[in-house]
Amino acid sequence: SETSIYQDLVCSVCLEIPIWNPVVSPCDHVFCRECYDEMVNCLNATTVPGAVRPAHICCPLDRKEIRSVTPMKGVLRRVWESIQVKCPYEGCAWRGTMGMYLDHASERCQAASAERKKNANANEEDDKEALAAQVMYLLTELKHMSEMCEIMAVSGEEQDRKICSLERENRKLKQQLSQLRPKKQQGGRGGEAGSRQQRRGGQQQAPPSSSPRASMPQPTVQETQASQEPTVDPYFDGNYAWTMNDLSEIVALVERNPTRKPSNVDRNKVFEAIRNLQGRWIRSGGLDPDLWIDQLEDVIDVCMSSSWFSANQNSRFEEMQDTLFDEYPI
């Protein structure tokens, strides 16, 4: 009968006669193209943990595997095109066959055209809303990033202020330290200049008789011989390749044995190392004078106050000090 024929043309998924692009499975069941594509998408989107996803979809009617479908053709398509239908759009009174409906809906139906425009406008509005939401999100993120940048800038300015304050405190402490150092002769730079003048002239003044050392008991012969025996500095490894970062090591070496030079230390190599360090530092442009000039002065002061070096070397030490003060006056 005509009804049974139409039942064979019903989509196996939506149970309606396909309007657009009907397709047929290998088991001779009809599907809307949209319904078949949706079944394939659902199969590909299946992500059940532990489940084995089938390789192909199955027909809802006989559960046979469907690997592919073909467009409806031949006698079956002619029967499908001969089905009497009416336009589903409200306000349109058109009636005809399924084959004629395709041309009517795509070109002649004003109600279908209005519906398509309405759907297009709705989609455009949805796109605008989605775009507006994205713009608002980006503006919110931009505002958040701007606030973070302001916080970081304020934090950086606070750190700069702290660094400047610490530098000022450091300079004050250095000035106080220089005032607390033991004074030479009369004290200050004038006393230093006077002592240098005396050493350059080769006239070493004897200590006054009122000095406490004059009333001290003189060492015995055995004590004198013991004090003249060579010593060895166990902390010195014989490496004279010092850098500016090793100035404190030179000071410690001399201060451990101020009156007797250890036998494993070469005073000439120590002197040349100090002279080379000062020369390299001056040739470099005097980098960071607030840090290095005091340490170089300490090294020279310790060496001159020891008994390690000759009169000529002490005179050279004085010239090195004068160079420091002339090049980088405090």
Side-chain angles (χ1 to χ4, degrees), residues 154-171:
V154 171
S155 178
E157 292 176 358
E158 183 66 23
Q159 290 181 359
D160 292 340
R161 286 195 293 269
K162 289 183 178 179
I163 290 174
C164 293
S165 177
L166 290 175
E167 289 178 348
R168 287 194 297 269
E169 291 295 329
N170 187 26
R171 286 194 293 268

Side-chain angles (χ1 to χ4, degrees), residues 4-65:
S4 64
I5 292 176
Y6 290 165
Q7 287 297 326
D8 290 335
L9 297 177
V10 171
C11 173
S12 301
V13 177
C14 66
L15 303 180
E16 299 285 345
I17 295 177
I19 298 178
W20 308 98
N21 302 324
V23 294
V24 181
S25 66
C27 56
D28 293 329
H29 290 117
V30 177
F31 294 89
C32 301
R33 185 72 203 192
E34 292 80 3
C35 293
Y36 175 77
D37 291 342
E38 186 175 353
M39 291 174 61
V40 173
N41 293 334
C42 291
L43 175 68
N44 294 332
T46 301
T47 57
V48 179
V52 179
R53 188 174 64 182
H56 304 281
I57 62 175
C58 296
C59 178
L61 299 179
D62 55 17
R63 310 306 300 171
K64 290 183 179 180
E65 191 176 80

Side-chain angles (χ1 to χ4, degrees), residues 84-102:
Q84 294 292 320
V85 295
K86 68 175 182 178
C87 183
Y89 292 102
E90 184 179 356
C92 182
W94 179 89
R95 289 179 180 272
T97 62
M98 185 71 76
M100 297 172 61
Y101 172 73
L102 298 177

